[in-house]
Amino acid sequence: MPGPGPTPTIADIARAAEVSTATVSHALNGTGRLGDSTRRRVREMAAALGYGARRGPRTRTLGLAVTTYAGSAWDFARIAYFSRLLTAATSAAHAHGYALTTLPAERGGEPLWHTLAVDGMLLLDSPEGDPVLRALRARGLPVVFDGRPAEPRPGDVWVDNDHEAATREVLDHLAASGARRIALHSGYGREFYTGAVTSAYARWCAERGLTPLVVPFDPDDAPGHAFDGVFGAPGRPDAVYCVYDPGGRQVLAAAARHGIRTPADLLLVCASEDPAYAEHEPAVTTVTLNPERIAVSAVSALVMLIESGHAEPAGQWTVPAGLRVRASSLRPDMY
């Protein structure tokens, strides 16, 4: 983190970046007609020089951002996983004597990250090339991740589930319930979670000589039209594992349209924290990623980084996922 000393000026940044002061002003304020590379270079130089960085006593404030779709105006707080994690993270921060500021997703590309007055940041689902992470690293701010970062550095800490183990548990459960053709509803996000689950599924299929069937997820596909071709074709899947929270509802909508009964004709598991799945008829089997435990661990790690400069151990702090078996993944004669 930048130490005491004179605050750098726009002129200092201009000299270091070899541009005019007008270019610096446009780059930091998001104005003017600058190329993306120039704007990014100026902002990174400003952050490296400590422009706008907090100097003096700590703010006793932590920041939290979901950056997997940074720059898009999507309301992640409406997703059960994120809402539960936010609540738990706020309580954990307060228990350590810190406030918690949650940033909206659409602020991903703004100069805000070069000047935000926080002592450290929690980044959720940080993707490859994350501009927010780049700005925070340039400032020297402590960062802890929910989900493995794309390019972890020595000393980085992230809190995550064992997605290989959790995926295999789901697939083994479906196979034990009689499934022979299991589809994965996935492939939308660029975050580590999606890739880890999809890769684990592919390995599981390869070990059994099965051909993987990945059905692309679309958050706007409420009727589940992605399954129309799959459910209408010969050799349709007799089970689906949904990686994303809305996926289970999409599969159920598509199955109803095609006259496919759950669980008699189709077994279903969805990774979700939404309690509505337990109230559905039939009740839907879910995988919980235990967001409350992830939040408590992540906040604890971040406070360690802020107050002592390191958190032990570095690397992944693993929180177990949990399979909540309900009627949707059991043949009628099994319950």
Side-chain angles (χ1 to χ4, degrees), residues 244-262:
Y244 303 107
D245 181 275
R249 290 182 288 275
Q250 296 180 7
V251 171
L252 290 168
R257 194 166 55 251
H258 287 268
I260 297 172
R261 301 166 298 165
T262 302

Side-chain angles (χ1 to χ4, degrees), residues 2 13 28 42-51 53 113-114 134-140:
I13 300 168
L28 296 180
V42 171
R43 288 179 178 178
E44 289 178 352
M45 182 59 67
L49 293 176
Y51 180 79
W113 304 105
H114 299 278
R134 188 165 55 242
L136 297 175
R137 286 204 193 278
R139 290 180 61 187

Side-chain angles (χ1 to χ4, degrees), residues 2 8-19 24 27-28 37-52 114 134-135 138-139:
T9 65
I10 287 180
D12 294 328
I13 300 168
R15 281 192 295 271
E18 298 181 345
V19 296
V24 173
L28 296 180
S37 61
T38 299
R39 194 181 301 274
R40 181 169 58 252
R41 179 162 58 90
V42 171
R43 288 179 178 178
E44 289 178 352
M45 182 59 67
L49 293 176
Y51 180 79
H114 299 278
R134 188 165 55 242
R139 290 180 61 187

Side-chain angles (χ1 to χ4, degrees), residues 213-310:
L213 174 58
V214 178
V215 179
F217 170 81
D218 181 342
D220 297 322
D221 183 23
H225 288 307
F227 284 89
D228 286 345
V230 175
F231 285 164
R236 66 169 177 78
D238 56 5
V240 179
Y241 177 32
C242 302
V243 171
Y244 303 107
D245 181 275
R249 290 182 288 275
Q250 296 180 7
V251 171
L252 290 168
R257 194 166 55 251
H258 287 268
I260 297 172
R261 301 166 298 165
T262 302
D265 305 318
L266 182 74
L267 303 178
L268 176 62
V269 177
C270 182
S272 175
E273 312 299 334
D274 189 346
Y277 278 121
E279 301 168 2
H280 187 271
E281 182 55 46
V284 175
T285 295
T286 57
V287 174
T288 176
L289 303 181
N290 286 315
E292 289 87 357
R293 293 181 60 181
I294 287 177
V296 170
S297 295
V299 169
S300 295
L302 184 56
V303 171
M304 287 184 201
L305 283 174
I306 292 168
E307 297 185 352
S308 67
H310 66 278

Side-chain angles (χ1 to χ4, degrees), residues 65-72 74 82 105 108 122-137 143 145-152 188-195:
V66 181
T67 60
T68 188
Y69 311 122
S72 301
W74 69 292
F82 293 114
L122 297 173
L123 291 189
L124 282 60
D125 291 338
S126 176
E128 184 177 3
D130 187 350
V132 174
L133 175 60
R134 188 165 55 242
L136 297 175
R137 286 204 193 278
V143 178
F145 304 85
D146 169 16
R148 185 182 187 276
E151 297 177 345
Y188 179 75
R190 296 186 296 121
E191 73 282 357
F192 177 76
Y193 165 68
T194 299

Side-chain angles (χ1 to χ4, degrees), residues 3-234:
T7 301
T9 65
I10 287 180
D12 294 328
I13 300 168
R15 281 192 295 271
E18 298 181 345
V19 296
S20 68
T21 55
T23 296
V24 173
S25 179
H26 285 313
L28 296 180
N29 292 303
T31 58
R33 297 183 178 181
L34 301 182
D36 289 341
S37 61
T38 299
R39 194 181 301 274
R40 181 169 58 252
R41 179 162 58 90
V42 171
R43 288 179 178 178
E44 289 178 352
M45 182 59 67
L49 293 176
Y51 180 79
R54 174 184 52 79
R55 295 167 185 262
R58 295 186 183 129
T59 65
R60 304 295 300 182
T61 300
L62 310 179
L64 184 150
V66 181
T67 60
T68 188
Y69 311 122
S72 301
W74 69 292
D75 185 6
F76 57 84
R78 296 184 62 183
I79 303 297
Y81 174 86
F82 293 114
S83 65
R84 288 175 56 176
L85 188 145
L86 288 174
T87 299
T90 301
S91 296
H94 291 176
H96 285 281
Y98 286 79
L100 180 71
T101 298
T102 303
L103 285 303
E106 65 267 23
R107 302 299 293 272
E110 296 188 7
L112 164 73
W113 304 105
H114 299 278
T115 59
L116 183 66
V118 295
D119 296 325
M121 285 289 301
L122 297 173
L123 291 189
L124 282 60
D125 291 338
S126 176
E128 184 177 3
D130 187 350
V132 174
L133 175 60
R134 188 165 55 242
L136 297 175
R137 286 204 193 278
R139 290 180 61 187
L141 280 178
V143 178
V144 168
F145 304 85
D146 169 16
R148 185 182 187 276
E151 297 177 345
R153 296 181 177 182
D156 277 351
V157 175
W158 61 93
V159 185
D160 206 352
N161 312 102
D162 184 339
H163 297 300
E164 178 84 21
T167 301
R168 286 179 175 272
E169 183 180 10
V170 170
L171 299 174
D172 288 343
H173 165 69
L174 290 170
S177 296
R180 296 294 175 264
R181 181 79 166 116
I182 304 172
L184 186 72
H185 194 198
S186 181
Y188 179 75
R190 296 186 296 121
E191 73 282 357
F192 177 76
Y193 165 68
T194 299
V197 174
T198 304
S199 296
Y201 166 76
R203 284 189 290 271
W204 187 91
C205 290
E207 290 166 6
R208 290 155 181 78
L210 302 174
T211 302
L213 174 58
V214 178
V215 179
F217 170 81
D218 181 342
D220 297 322
D221 183 23
H225 288 307
F227 284 89
D228 286 345
V230 175
F231 285 164

